[in-house]
Amino acid sequence: MTDETDAFLAAVNDLDGALDESLAMTQRMKDRIREIRDGHASGRPLRELVPEEQRPLLVQLLTENANLLHSYGTRVRRTEARALHHEGMTMDEIARQFGVTRQRISALLRDTAARG
């Protein structure tokens, strides 16, 4: 195995843990949604329901979850592009595989090289 492959596999393993964390946050958001719906269905206005929410708020959980997935997703994309390129795939081939432009793959490879 190469350093690039090792880096990609480490990123995938870390993503797996992040997805578990994301699932837990998703369940918390679903619970909050149910509480808001139930409260509103019983006639309570949102101006009463929202201040009673436990922290982190639904909107905070949304942001945290999106940031978590974005961070790990970026790392996986970079390391995967690097590993594939190291194994001989061209930037055009990787771009087609990822569904992005060749320029995006070039940027990913530059970002990875710049990071060391």
Side-chain angles (χ1 to χ4, degrees), residues 35-77:
E35 291 168 8
I36 292 168
R37 283 182 180 156
D38 292 349
H40 191 261
S42 70
R44 296 186 63 206
L46 291 177
R47 69 178 179 273
E48 288 178 11
L49 294 170
V50 172
E52 292 177 357
E53 264 190 83
Q54 293 179 355
R55 296 215 179 253
L57 301 175
L58 177 61
V59 293
Q60 292 168 319
L61 287 169
L62 280 166
T63 299
E64 187 178 338
N65 200 17
N67 289 341
L68 175 74
L69 294 177
H70 177 74
S71 173
Y72 283 91
T74 298
R75 182 173 162 215
V76 167
R77 276 189 297 279

Side-chain angles (χ1 to χ4, degrees), residues 2-113:
T2 65
D3 289 344
E4 289 83 2
T5 300
D6 289 343
F8 171 62
L9 293 174
V12 169
N13 287 335
D14 291 345
L15 174 61
D16 188 44
L19 289 172
D20 289 338
E21 188 177 341
S22 177
L23 286 171
M25 276 191 275
T26 298
Q27 188 56 56
R28 288 172 67 187
M29 286 186 281
K30 290 180 76 60
D31 293 344
R32 295 283 167 77
I33 290 167
R34 187 178 56 255
E35 291 168 8
I36 292 168
R37 283 182 180 156
D38 292 349
H40 191 261
S42 70
R44 296 186 63 206
L46 291 177
R47 69 178 179 273
E48 288 178 11
L49 294 170
V50 172
E52 292 177 357
E53 264 190 83
Q54 293 179 355
R55 296 215 179 253
L57 301 175
L58 177 61
V59 293
Q60 292 168 319
L61 287 169
L62 280 166
T63 299
E64 187 178 338
N65 200 17
N67 289 341
L68 175 74
L69 294 177
H70 177 74
S71 173
Y72 283 91
T74 298
R75 182 173 162 215
V76 167
R77 276 189 297 279
R78 283 184 180 130
T79 57
E80 185 172 11
R82 185 74 178 167
L84 292 172
H85 194 253
H86 183 78
E87 289 186 5
M89 282 184 80
T90 67
M91 284 189 270
D92 286 327
E93 291 169 329
I94 298 167
R96 277 193 300 279
Q97 188 70 32
F98 283 21
V100 298
T101 64
R102 181 190 185 287
Q103 290 78 11
R104 181 67 190 125
I105 297 304
S106 178
L108 285 173
L109 295 174
R110 273 195 316 273
D111 286 350
T112 302

